[in-house]
Structures are given as C-alpha cells and as structure tokens.
Amino acid sequence: MELAALLKAHGVKDIVISPGSRHYAFTRTFENDQYFRLHSVVDERSAAFFALGLTQATGEPTATICTSGTAALNYGSAIAEASAQKLPLIAITTDRLPDFLGQMEDQMIDQRELFDGFVRYTGNLRPISNDRDRWYCNRVINEGLVAAREGGPVHLNVPIESHSGVEFTVAQLPDVRVIARHRIESEEPDWAELAKRLEHKRVLVVWGQGARPSDHTIARLSAFTESFDAVVISDHLANLHIDRRIDNPLAFLRIPAAKHPELKPEIVISFGGNIVFKDELKGYLHASDHEHWRVDPDGAIADPFRTLTDVFQSGPQVFLERIVAARDASADPSYRRRMLEVANSIPAPSMEHGELAVIGALMRALPHDSSLHIANSAPIRMAQLHRIDPSIDVLCNRGVNGIDGCLSTAIGYAAATAKPTFVIIGDLTFFYDMNSLWIRDLPDNLRILLLNNGGGAVMHVPLPESYSATVAGRHVSAEHAMSARGWVESLGIDYSAAHTPDATAAGISWLTDLNEHGSRVLEVFSNKVADIAQLRAYHSTLAGGGVRPGAYIRIRRLGGRVLRRLGLR
C-alpha cells in the first residue's frame, strides 16, 4: 500500500496494467480506490507506449505495472523513447525475491538495473516487515516519483515473496510521508507558505562540514534566527562562528536538560556536509515529531533522520534570503534562549594527562589564523569537546570517515598555503599514512601532534570481557609499542616526545612556536584504555547533569579497573 499511497500523493492518476499474477495485490489496491484511472493493455511493449501517449496528452506522469520475468524487458523500447523526450514514464516491475536469482526458478531474471542508462532513477524496493523497511521503501518511492516529475522515466522494481493468499481488509490507503524537491533556480516555491510553516515552531538549524561561510551568508543566517525561533548547532568542521550557536554538540546532546520534550525541535533544517555528532543527533531526534528540510546545491534526497519532507536545491545564502524576505516580523526567541542556556551550562572536560587533555592543550595554544587538520577516530570526537579560536580553519576527511590519507591531505593543504598548518593524529592513522612524510619538498609550515597510546583505543575498549586482551590487541586494535621517532628523524624533521603533563606542556609550546621555521612532530604517549575511560567518565558526568564531587577520581579508578580486566595492569 505504500507504493499506491505515494502514487496518489504525488498526483499519479493513470495506471496502465498488463495481466499477470505477481502484481495481483497492486491491481486490487488500484481497483479499490476511485482516484486512479486504470487502463488494461495485454502486451507490455504496447502498454508502455500507451502510457507514453497518455503522458503526452495530459502532461502528467503515468505508471505502468507488469508481472515478473521477461514481461519487464518489453518496457525497454518505450523507456528509451521516454528518455529521449524527457517524459515522466513510471515503470513498475514486480519481481521475485533476489535470493532466488540463479536458482532455476520460474520467471526469474535480474531486473534490478534492467534499464540502466535510460532512466533518471532506479529504485529497488523490498518487502516491508519492520519500520526500517517501511522507511526505506517510502524514501526510494519518493525519490523515484520526484525524479519522474522533473522529466524522464524512472524504474521501480518490487520484489514480492508471495502473491497468493493476500487479504484486503483495509478500507482506504494510509497517510504516507511525501518528500518534495524544490529546484529554486528553475521554479520558485511558495516562500510565504514555507515561512508560514516555520511560524511558532521550534527550529533547529544543523550546519555541517564546509569551508568558512562568507560574511554575507552569516548575516543572512543571523537574520533567519531573528525572524524565526531558531537555534544553530554545529561542530568545528562547519567553520561557522555566529551568536546563537550551540558549538559543543557532542556534549550538549548528552545533557538530560537538553532532552526535555519542549526543547526537541519541530523542524530541523540542515545545511552543508557531514557532522561529527550525527549518531548523537539521530538519537536525540528519535521518536520526536519533526520535519527535516535539507538545503544543498546537489538536491539529493538524503534522509539521515528518516523525517525528510522537503529538499531545496539551493545554496544556503539564497534559501535564507528568500525565506526571511517572506517573513515581516521577528519571532519570540524563547526556544533559542532555553537551548543556549543549557549549552552554556556544560562543564569542561578533565585536564588529566591523556588524549583528551593534550588535544585541548594544543587547541588553546594554536596561533591565530592558522589551520587545524584533525584525523578521524578518537581525535576528531575529542576535539569537539574543546573550544577553538574563531580565526582558525578546521578540516578533516569526514566525508567517508576513513583513517587513510589524513596526513597526506594535511600535507597537500600545507603545500598550497602560507598558513601554519597543524595536525592532530592518532598513532594507527599516522603509521598507516607515514609514507606521506617522505613527499618531496615537504612544506615547512607543517606541525604534527601525534597521539600515541599504543593502538586503536576506540576498537579495543568496547570488546567483551570474554575476549582475550592479548588476542584483541593483536587482531582488533593493532596493539603496539612503536614510536615514530626513528622515521621522523631519518627524514630530517624536528622531533620531540612527551610522556608526562609537564613534558607535554613544554612540547606544545615548542610545537606552536612560529619563530622557528621547519616542520615539527610532537609525539605524546598515553595509555589507550585510560584515554577512553576518561572520555567515558566525562560522558557519564554530562549524563548526570553536571560535575559531581570526585568525578575525576572515579575516572582514574574506572581506568584502573578496565586495565586490570584486560590484563594490562
């Protein structure tokens, strides 16, 4: 029923049906709703061209539906013609489950990419047995129908486990989520109506990774937060510095006060690329009644929170200018004020020796107008818990979130700029990409903080107690006792090491001293289990709503217990 309901919601009235049993349930569903105009054409090749004629006459999308196997192949000629004419032909092919491919089953060919090269979009659905299946099918069907309306054929392939014994007990089609895409450059949406949807709503603006926004964009964003009761949340990778911003989302989203129902947003508007706090934000928004509006020049139907309703194919500046222009009054900032009050109550993390403290020490010492590259895994998450000077640009390979190439990317950046370029990188990520230090003409504006805690802490600590620490260290977290000193010094790069808080403080001063030229590497040693224990204890402190007496003593005790459990103490 999801497919039929969405066809109706997107205004698809004409359905051309060829005979068969695999799509029996759809045929009955269409028959039982007076909205649809049904047309019966036996030959699938003729059916698809008949549908093409309907579209030519009405200017509206037309759907065809057929049974599985070679029946679907007969749509090919009409789809090719629809592609050339950019006509919205919707080819719905029912199928057997992909499990049976190559298993000598009847009426079974690979229908999944049958019209590749001719269609604007191919969507392969699946039987709905849980909420995730329903979300997936809803998104895929929406994406296909949006693409069809924008001009061209689309293909929706629908695997069906069994077409017999279907009961029809529902009197009408259900309400379904409809996703709309607004291509602002080609067709202006109704900005007044959109502004009305935002009125008296709690609005959360999520600003993702990207280059530093222009002053004009920031001014438009500020005007937006004045016109609507909106608050902005972003991490360091957004390079966004603006009042009315929650700049520590990884901590904020763990505080109980932030989870009060009256602080949950009713509309989420997202800009930019990836965010470090994606999983935390998903958990925060889960089960809340909200819409998601996505603003991006790519116009893609990306639905991370499973609540997408509107996509605006636009840059942020254009969207913000036009939505603000449609609103002639300022909003009561009660939602924004309460959110910022909670954000401003967050305690600072512990300053004990370890990754968390060292990262904070460097970020506080960074020279103005420098650049900071942060490698993936624990460093990028820990860095979000510390404030940073607004003059500093922050970068990370967060698109795919892999550890390979983090150092090479920073070196390439440093080679193209006169800015002092700092790198925060973990040991495994460094050793994975250590050959990059051998690049000819290594820039002399490169400074590297190497955090060496003897392996992949994020992978090591969560393992079950029954898993041998020795085996885990070898096969999962790549435990080691190596140092980068030999490799770094063999390349003629200045090197320093630190094992204690005092040595680390001196090392940070040495690393950030721009009076001396040349690349430098500071390697700070700590214990991986204690590092993650400190981070988790800080998270526990946040979950308790504030700093409790003796919290940091408990951090040390927790770290000791974990070390003993893993046989490392």
Side-chain angles (χ1 to χ4, degrees):
M1 287 193 292
E2 194 81 14
L3 176 59
L6 280 169
L7 286 168
K8 182 176 181 179
H10 280 269
V12 180
K13 294 180 70 74
D14 288 299
I15 312 290
V16 181
I17 304 174
S18 295
S21 56
R22 180 66 52 180
H23 55 303
Y24 163 74
F26 291 105
T27 300
R28 286 290 308 277
T29 301
F30 294 137
E31 288 172 344
N32 289 329
D33 193 301
Q34 297 303 308
Y35 172 82
F36 296 107
R37 291 191 295 254
L38 305 185
H39 312 269
S40 176
V41 181
V42 174
D43 184 284
E44 288 85 5
R45 180 173 174 273
S46 292
F49 278 109
F50 180 87
L52 203 63
L54 291 173
T55 293
Q56 289 172 336
T58 64
E60 294 293 322
T62 299
T64 62
I65 187 166
C66 69
T67 191
S68 57
T70 55
L73 287 170
N74 291 296
Y75 282 167
S77 298
I79 287 175
E81 183 61 31
S83 178
Q85 293 191 42
K86 297 182 173 58
L87 293 174
L89 177 64
I90 303 163
I92 302 169
T93 58
T94 53
D95 197 359
R96 302 192 69 167
L97 298 184
D99 316 42
F100 299 118
L101 277 171
Q103 302 306 304
M104 302 178 69
E105 293 288 337
D106 295 335
Q107 291 190 344
M108 188 71 188
I109 63 173
D110 193 345
Q111 299 179 194
R112 293 171 297 183
E113 307 293 337
L114 204 56
F115 310 114
D116 191 26
F118 295 99
V119 291
R120 288 178 58 91
Y121 180 82
T122 295
N124 289 292
L125 305 182
R126 58 182 179 229
I128 295 176
S129 58
N130 52 49
D131 288 342
R132 188 170 67 177
D133 291 337
R134 186 172 300 281
W135 162 77
Y136 170 81
C137 290
N138 176 277
R139 176 184 63 78
V140 169
I141 297 166
N142 264 298
E143 195 163 1
L145 299 182
V146 165
R149 278 216 168 270
E150 292 169 350
V154 299
H155 175 210
L156 296 175
N157 190 54
V158 190
I160 298 172
E161 185 169 7
S162 175
H163 55 279
S164 60
V166 180
E167 295 184 3
F168 296 87
T169 58
V170 178
Q172 62 185 22
L173 292 174
D175 292 331
V176 287
R177 177 185 60 152
V178 178
I179 300 174
R181 177 156 53 200
H182 312 277
R183 295 191 185 274
I184 292 176
E185 297 305 321
S186 59
E187 184 177 354
E188 287 281 349
D190 187 339
W191 291 106
E193 178 60 30
L194 291 167
K196 188 175 181 180
R197 285 168 62 184
L198 292 176
E199 284 183 15
H200 310 299
K201 295 297 178 82
R202 300 185 297 271
V203 181
L204 181 66
V205 174
V206 180
W207 201 281
Q209 180 175 12
R212 184 181 297 269
S214 68
D215 291 342
H216 193 58
T217 298
I218 291 176
R220 299 284 72 75
L221 180 58
S222 295
F224 177 82
T225 63
E226 289 287 348
S227 296
F228 304 95
D229 192 8
V231 63
V232 181
I233 187 169
S234 63
D235 57 46
H236 294 325
L237 297 182
N239 291 293
L240 175 71
H241 301 282
I242 184 176
D243 293 336
R244 312 178 188 93
R245 167 183 169 239
I246 298 170
D247 63 355
N248 46 4
L250 281 179
F252 172 82
L253 295 171
R254 294 179 182 274
I255 293 182
K259 299 175 183 178
H260 192 283
E262 292 185 0
L263 291 187
K264 295 292 183 74
E266 294 167 291
I267 296 182
V268 176
I269 305 179
S270 63
F271 299 85
N274 283 14
I275 54 176
V276 176
F277 57 100
K278 178 182 61 179
D279 290 341
E280 287 78 6
L281 185 57
K282 284 181 178 180
Y284 181 72
L285 296 174
H286 180 68
S288 67
D289 185 14
H290 69 278
E291 299 178 16
H292 174 204
W293 297 9
R294 181 174 185 266
V295 182
D296 197 282
D298 68 12
I301 297 178
D303 188 22
F305 312 125
R306 303 186 182 180
T307 54
L308 187 68
T309 57
D310 294 83
V311 177
F312 299 85
Q313 188 167 19
S314 165
Q317 185 172 305
V318 173
F319 172 85
L320 292 168
E321 281 180 348
R322 297 185 186 178
I323 195 82
V324 168
R327 168 85 165 152
D328 58 4
S330 296
D332 174 12
S334 58
Y335 173 61
R336 179 173 71 239
R337 184 175 58 250
R338 286 178 294 167
M339 290 283 274
L340 292 175
E341 285 175 357
V342 173
N344 291 334
S345 71
I346 297 173
S350 166
M351 290 297 105
E352 297 187 6
H353 182 69
E355 278 190 333
L356 187 58
V358 175
I359 289 172
L362 175 63
M363 291 177 68
R364 290 189 297 275
L366 288 172
H368 289 279
D369 297 317
S370 57
S371 295
L372 175 63
H373 284 250
I374 310 174
N376 281 307
S377 199
I380 189 61
R381 298 184 66 81
M382 291 182 175
Q384 306 304 323
L385 302 175
H386 299 281
R387 297 191 181 278
I388 194 165
D389 186 272
S391 70
I392 296 167
D393 291 328
V394 183
L395 301 100
C396 175
N397 287 351
R398 198 63 189 176
V400 181
N401 189 16
I403 69 168
D404 49 327
C406 293
L407 188 55
S408 295
T409 302
I411 293 172
Y413 180 97
T417 181
K419 282 186 174 185
T421 301
F422 290 83
V423 181
I424 299 175
I425 190 168
D427 48 358
L428 293 189
T429 309
F430 176 88
F431 290 129
Y432 200 95
D433 199 21
M434 62 189 292
N435 191 54
S436 59
L437 290 179
W438 193 28
I439 291 174
R440 290 184 174 90
D441 303 319
L442 189 74
D444 64 3
N445 57 341
L446 181 72
R447 304 293 172 93
I448 300 170
L449 171 62
L450 169 56
L451 302 163
N452 191 339
N453 59 11
V458 171
M459 299 173 285
H460 191 96
V461 173
L463 298 174
E465 293 188 22
S466 59
Y467 197 4
S468 163
T470 302
V471 176
R474 179 177 180 84
H475 295 142
V476 178
S477 59
E479 197 169 73
H480 66 87
M482 302 298 177
S483 167
R485 177 191 291 271
W487 174 242
V488 172
E489 291 185 339
S490 74
L491 297 172
I493 300 171
D494 288 346
Y495 172 90
S496 182
H499 295 79
T500 65
D502 289 343
T504 298
I508 294 292
S509 296
W510 172 80
L511 192 68
T512 56
D513 182 2
L514 300 183
N515 293 318
E516 298 292 333
H517 296 287
S519 296
R520 290 182 170 183
V521 174
L522 170 65
E523 187 171 16
V524 178
F525 294 87
S526 60
N527 182 281
K528 64 179 179 295
V529 178
D531 286 341
I532 296 301
Q534 287 185 30
L535 180 62
R536 288 182 172 180
Y538 177 59
H539 289 166
S540 178
T541 297
L542 294 173
V547 179
R548 297 184 295 274
Y552 301 136
I553 294 176
R554 286 194 293 276
I555 291 173
R556 290 195 295 270
R557 290 175 177 171
L558 173 61
R561 287 199 300 271
V562 176
L563 286 168
R564 286 190 291 272
R565 175 170 65 79
L566 295 176
L568 300 176
R569 175 180 290 183

